[in-house]
Each structure stands twice: as C-alpha cells, then as structure tokens.
Amino acid sequence: MQTIRSTTDPGGTDTTDETGPADGTDGAERARSGPGRDLTALLAGAATAAGGLGALLAFTGQDSPLRGPFVLFFLLAAPAAAIAAALTGLDPLGRAVASLAGAVAVDMLVAQVLLATHQWSVRGGLVAVSAFSALVLLLVAVRRWRGRSPGRQGW
C-alpha cells in the first residue's frame, strides 16, 4: 500500500511525501502483477505462429488468401527479431526502430542479390532471410553462452 502525506510547513508551502509500498517492492513490480502480465508472451507466441504459418504456406506452395500477408509478416518479423536480440544495449523504442529498419534493409539486400544473380524466387528469398535470421540468432546465443554479452562487459 502506498502512502501519500501532504503537510504545510511554517512558511506556508505544501510538501508532499510519497512512500513506497509497505512490502518494500517498487511500483513497477506491482504493475506487472495484474491480469495483463502475460500479454507479452501471448503476443510473441501469436507472432511466431503467424510468421511460421506464412513460411509454411510459401514453402509448400499453398494458394490461400492469407499467404501474402503472413509471408510479408515473416519477412519483416524474422530478421527484426534477430537484430533486436543482438541490440541489447539500446532502449526499447530505439531497439524496435533499429531492428525494423534493419529488417527492411536485409529484405531489400536479399531481393537485390537474388535479382542481380537471376535466381529470384519466393522460396529462395525466404530461405535467404531465414538463414540470415537463424545465423544472427545463433551468434547471439553463442555470445551469451560464452559470457560475452554487452551487459556483462559494461557497454
């Protein structure tokens, strides 16, 4: 329970004293204890399912009205998640902007290389983007496993 005391000093000015909860936790910890605390995990699972479904529909060649939007979501979300995992030192908004910009750059680079080599195909683009994303996530996992994450070095 948070207590707020307002008093008037002899000079006539109001002073407000806020004390934290009685159990010693801060307000941020209390805010995460409500019914919406699992929303992040639910949204991450839904995004993974949508991206996986888009990749599956494209690899199998199924004709579906959902194929296009889900494939586009996969092409943005997979490299963005990989780049965001590598950018641990940024604040959340900067990390989101940088990872989305990086995802668009990766997609355009893959498309340009495939077009320049006359090897363009939807499956080829998906394989290249998937390989890039998996490689970046693997490198991030190896860096963390070896204890070389930027958080431990004080970057």
Side-chain angles (χ1 to χ4, degrees), residues 21-48:
D23 60 355
T25 60
D26 63 349
E29 225 175 285
R30 261 187 313 117
R32 299 281 302 167
S33 63
R37 68 182 178 271
D38 295 330
L39 186 61
T40 304
L42 179 67
L43 290 176
T48 303

Side-chain angles (χ1 to χ4, degrees), residues 11-111:
T13 57
D14 276 341
T15 58
T16 303
D17 178 29
E18 293 185 33
T19 58
D23 60 355
T25 60
D26 63 349
E29 225 175 285
R30 261 187 313 117
R32 299 281 302 167
S33 63
R37 68 182 178 271
D38 295 330
L39 186 61
T40 304
L42 179 67
L43 290 176
T48 303
L53 180 64
L56 182 70
L57 287 173
F59 282 131
T60 59
Q62 298 293 322
D63 288 332
S64 170
L66 297 177
R67 176 181 170 181
F70 283 164
V71 168
L72 288 175
F73 180 76
F74 175 79
L75 287 174
L76 280 178
I83 293 170
L87 297 176
T88 57
L90 294 177
D91 64 328
L93 180 61
R95 193 172 169 180
V97 169
S99 63
L100 283 174
V104 169
V106 165
D107 290 341
M108 290 184 352
L109 181 65
V110 165

